[in-house]
């Protein structure tokens, strides 16, 4: 079952498209700042990865398929101030 996390106007969802190794990040904000999903995969649990969405409001970016996503958070980038991030969730 897919889970979503929301930080500011950004939503991250994993697994995405029925693939446990794919995560998506949707930018629902029109603030001009990019959104990102920070996540960890099962086979490299000590390595934090980042999926950026620089395409603007109302767009979605998806990762390539890989090992299972084990935890993730969504963040709305804020230049000059702390990012708006969700808490970490585990699908």
């Amino acid at each position: 079952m897919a889970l979503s996390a929301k930080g500011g106007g950004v939503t991250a969802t994993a697994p995405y498209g029925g693939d446990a190794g794919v995560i998506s990040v949707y930018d629902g904000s029109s603030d001009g700042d990019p959104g990102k999903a920070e996540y960890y995969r099962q086979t490299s649990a000590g390595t934090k990865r980042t999926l950026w969405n620089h395409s603007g409001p109302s767009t979605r970016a998806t990762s390539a398929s890989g090992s299972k996503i084990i935890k993730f958070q969504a963040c709305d980038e804020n230049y000059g101030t702390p990012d708006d991030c969700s808490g970490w969730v585990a699908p």
Side-chain angles (χ1 to χ4, degrees), residues 10-11 67 69 72:
V10 173
T11 304
S67 70
I69 307 292
F72 66 95

Side-chain angles (χ1 to χ4, degrees), residues 4 14 22 36 45 49-50 68 72 77:
S4 292
V22 176
K36 64 184 176 181
R49 300 173 185 272
T50 304
K68 181 180 177 181
F72 66 95
E77 180 83 4

Side-chain angles (χ1 to χ4, degrees), residues 3-27:
L3 288 179
S4 292
K6 187 169 183 176
V10 173
T11 304
T13 304
Y16 186 74
D19 186 332
V22 176
I23 187 168
S24 79
V25 59
Y26 177 80
D27 188 351

Side-chain angles (χ1 to χ4, degrees), residues 5-90:
K6 187 169 183 176
V10 173
T11 304
T13 304
Y16 186 74
D19 186 332
V22 176
I23 187 168
S24 79
V25 59
Y26 177 80
D27 188 351
S29 173
S30 59
D31 62 6
D33 296 332
K36 64 184 176 181
E38 297 179 326
Y39 63 100
Y40 292 86
R41 291 189 180 275
Q42 191 169 43
T43 59
S44 54
T47 302
K48 181 169 72 171
R49 300 173 185 272
T50 304
L51 172 66
W52 285 96
N53 182 345
H54 290 284
S55 298
S58 301
T59 63
R60 181 180 306 276
T62 57
S63 72
S65 184
S67 70
K68 181 180 177 181
I69 307 292
I70 56 172
K71 69 179 178 177
F72 66 95
Q73 68 176 355
C75 296
D76 196 344
E77 180 83 4
N78 292 318
Y79 297 115
T81 60
D83 296 346
D84 295 322
C85 293
S86 67
W88 289 91
V89 296

